[in-house]
Amino acid sequence: MSLMLQTFSSVKDANAALQAAGTRYLGGGTLMVRSANEGDVSVSSLIRVTDPGLSQIAVSGGKVRLGASVTMAAIARHPELAALAPAARAVGGPAIRNMATVGGNLFAPAPYGDFAVALLALDATVATEDGEVPIETFLADRDTSRAIVSAVGFSLPKAESFRFLKVSRVKPKGVSVLSIAALLELASDGAVTSARIALGCMADRPMRALAAEKALLGCKLTPQEIAPVLMAASEGIAPITDPIASAWYRAVVLPVHLGRLLLD
């Protein structure tokens, strides 16, 4: 079977071509090319865009905008994105990080997509030709979306307010057993005043730990006070089972690693 590659200079033209049957968008190629090489006969044409704006990183006034083609390597080495570097470095090894993109991470099925977990905790917005939507809305509808993602935007977190943890069995670049990202705001006495917690591998795509967030409000980050939070973390999860870990195992270790993240 032949596989055609079409190149466009604009997202608008690429979006139009993407409506044809058998077409898929090609970003960094870390998932799409592998799928084609493994014999996915549903794909007959790959579409790419050369617009340089898709590879731009803009940081201004406490706001960040990442083009969809920005790679994990570019994020990891950007001096103003140090808070996000651990999440970017959690994606594969150096060769993968040089190719894996922000946009691709949004579509990556569990156990991949660790950076999308971080974006969910950061309450990012996702931009397409149709406008911008909250990342939760985008993730919920991503399987039916045919629009090319052009960028994501979010407020730049303070290093001490954003936390990220990836658990894997193969170090340093193994596939996730689970990943957790948290954005926390603390009062002067150390009590949590705001919390967003995102989980990877606890569903087929990144999800919020809403019950844990609610339980965390007003707590100080001590073993005693976060105990109810860890119990609540399992509410609403549907962990995946794959060759890396079973759903049972992922559910059992989630409270352990969330506790470590909160107490770090």
Side-chain angles (χ1 to χ4, degrees), residues 68-127:
S69 295
V70 170
T71 65
M72 298 298 106
I75 294 169
R77 64 174 176 259
H78 196 286
E80 295 181 273
L81 299 178
L84 298 182
R89 294 193 184 104
V91 178
I96 293 295
R97 290 194 292 273
N98 280 331
M99 298 296 294
T101 63
V102 171
N105 239 249
L106 292 173
F107 288 94
Y112 308 108
D114 297 304
F115 194 75
V117 176
L119 291 174
L120 179 56
L122 292 170
D123 196 18
T125 58
V126 179

Side-chain angles (χ1 to χ4, degrees), residues 230-248:
L230 305 186
M231 293 180 62
S234 298
E235 291 188 25
I237 65 171
I240 64 167
T241 290
D242 62 9
I244 303 300
S246 67
W248 173 86

Side-chain angles (χ1 to χ4, degrees), residues 19-260:
Q19 306 312 308
T23 59
R24 296 291 188 275
Y25 184 75
L26 179 66
T30 57
L31 295 176
M32 189 64 254
V33 171
R34 184 178 71 179
S35 178
N37 287 339
E38 290 176 348
D40 184 353
V41 295
S42 68
V43 181
S44 59
S45 179
L46 297 177
I47 290 173
R48 63 190 291 263
V49 178
T50 57
D51 182 352
L54 295 179
S55 298
Q56 290 183 350
I57 298 175
V59 184
S60 177
K63 301 292 184 180
V64 179
R65 193 166 184 85
L66 303 176
S69 295
V70 170
T71 65
M72 298 298 106
I75 294 169
R77 64 174 176 259
H78 196 286
E80 295 181 273
L81 299 178
L84 298 182
R89 294 193 184 104
V91 178
I96 293 295
R97 290 194 292 273
N98 280 331
M99 298 296 294
T101 63
V102 171
N105 239 249
L106 292 173
F107 288 94
Y112 308 108
D114 297 304
F115 194 75
V117 176
L119 291 174
L120 179 56
L122 292 170
D123 196 18
T125 58
V126 179
T128 68
E129 196 175 31
D130 298 327
E132 294 197 21
V133 297
I135 187 171
E136 287 173 83
T137 302
F138 175 84
L139 290 173
D141 298 333
R142 73 179 186 183
D143 293 345
T144 58
S145 173
R146 296 291 287 173
I148 297 172
V149 172
S150 58
V152 298
F154 53 89
S155 296
L156 184 66
K158 297 178 181 178
E160 61 272 17
S161 68
F162 179 72
R163 306 177 183 201
F164 180 85
L165 173 68
K166 173 180 174 177
V167 180
S168 62
R169 287 176 163 167
V170 178
K171 308 295 183 181
K173 57 181 182 179
V175 176
S176 288
V177 171
L178 64 91
S179 54
I180 311 172
L183 184 66
L184 308 176
E185 293 183 10
L186 307 180
S188 57
D189 64 354
V192 176
T193 58
S194 176
R196 282 182 66 94
I197 301 173
L199 308 174
C201 297
M202 293 297 115
D204 66 341
R205 65 201 69 198
M207 62 170 289
R208 293 269 300 279
L210 296 173
E213 293 174 359
K214 183 177 179 180
L216 190 55
L217 294 178
C219 292
K220 295 182 179 179
L221 300 180
T222 66
Q224 296 75 23
E225 294 204 29
I226 70 167
V229 178
L230 305 186
M231 293 180 62
S234 298
E235 291 188 25
I237 65 171
I240 64 167
T241 290
D242 62 9
I244 303 300
S246 67
W248 173 86
Y249 180 79
R250 284 184 162 103
V252 168
V253 300
L254 170 60
V256 176
H257 291 292
L258 177 58
R260 291 174 178 172

